Amino acid sequence: MTAYNTAYNDEKAARALLVRTARSLFTRGLTHGSTGNLSVRLADGSLLLTPTGSSLGTVEEADLSRTDLTGRHLDGPRPTKEAFLHAAFYRSRPSVHAVVHLHSTHATAVSCLDGVDSADALPPLTAYYAMRVGTLPLLPYHAPGDSSLEPLAERTARTHHAILLANHGPVVAGATLEKASDAIEELEETAKLHLLLRGHATRPLTPEQAAALATGPS
């Protein structure tokens, strides 16, 4: 199997990092109940993911699942039913080594609004949003775990490292788990600002200002 240039050469350390990150996201209210899932790509190309039905607040290192890039279960408990979304991002973006999917409140609220621009669901209200997220396509509604979303997600991931699933929540890929987590948190805060400012005249960054700041997932 092809080796990847990644920080996640040590599976034990990667498991510890996934659990620490999951706890942090949960305790800070960025996800709830048994929603949300995280993954990293290991040096051998396999994926380490949170399992189906688990809470990011209580998941343990021994609970994590491992799949290949097609989503085939290799070992551990059964992976999240949205493992195909993670695999789609990794296949499309060889430079990323982590994916975070949350049902964070404000981003999910934006995904439920009528009239959202499907090409870019949030305006670039802040410089950090432009740097860490960029444009945010809104993908049409599919039931959680509906693998018919996979081809569309894979195509979209070729040009965007962040997407918003209609009536569902955001998915963000990054070069590291820290970067993916920072980006999805920035997305959530921008969604909150967007909702707070509804009905007010806003002054987003210009396309030129946003383009000058865009850096992608690395």
Side-chain angles (χ1 to χ4, degrees):
M1 185 175 287
T2 303
Y4 290 88
N5 180 19
T6 171
Y8 306 119
N9 296 312
D10 182 337
E11 182 174 337
K12 183 177 179 181
R15 285 176 179 270
L17 176 62
L18 268 172
V19 168
R20 284 199 308 274
T21 304
R23 292 275 197 284
S24 175
L25 293 169
F26 186 88
T27 56
R28 291 183 296 117
L30 286 158
T31 193
H32 59 277
S34 59
T35 64
N37 34 80
L38 285 65
S39 68
V40 297
R41 173 160 40 191
L42 298 172
D44 65 0
S46 65
L47 311 181
L48 196 61
L49 309 98
T50 51
T52 188
S54 67
S55 167
L56 297 189
T58 58
V59 68
E60 300 287 352
E61 292 177 32
D63 298 333
L64 300 177
S65 308
R66 203 162 60 86
T67 73
D68 65 15
L69 276 178
T70 70
R72 182 172 63 93
H73 186 197
L74 299 177
D75 59 52
R78 191 157 57 93
T80 169
K81 61 179 173 288
E82 289 160 339
F84 67 88
L85 278 174
H86 294 251
F89 268 89
Y90 291 119
R91 291 194 303 268
S92 292
R93 304 187 74 88
S95 64
V96 306
H97 300 104
V99 174
V100 178
H101 167 47
L102 299 178
H103 298 187
S104 50
T105 301
H106 298 91
T108 302
V110 170
S111 83
C112 298
L113 292 174
D114 188 30
V116 173
D117 182 358
S118 62
D120 196 5
L122 281 174
L125 294 173
T126 68
Y128 282 98
Y129 178 81
M131 284 190 283
R132 292 176 176 163
V133 179
T135 55
L136 182 68
L138 176 70
L139 273 57
Y141 175 75
H142 290 69
D146 181 354
S147 61
S148 67
L149 175 59
E150 185 171 7
L152 175 59
E154 187 167 354
R155 288 195 302 274
T156 308
R158 290 174 191 150
T159 50
H160 298 84
H161 72 280
I163 61 174
L164 186 61
L165 306 177
N167 305 86
H168 191 159
V171 186
V172 177
T176 65
L177 189 56
E178 293 89 344
K179 287 177 187 263
S181 298
D182 284 348
I184 207 165
E185 190 165 356
E186 194 69 43
L187 193 163
E188 171 65 6
E189 288 302 306
T190 301
K192 183 177 182 180
L193 285 174
H194 178 64
L195 294 170
L196 284 170
L197 291 168
R198 278 172 69 82
H200 298 272
T202 59
R203 190 180 60 254
L205 274 64
T206 67
E208 293 76 19
Q209 289 169 331
L213 292 166
T215 59
S218 12

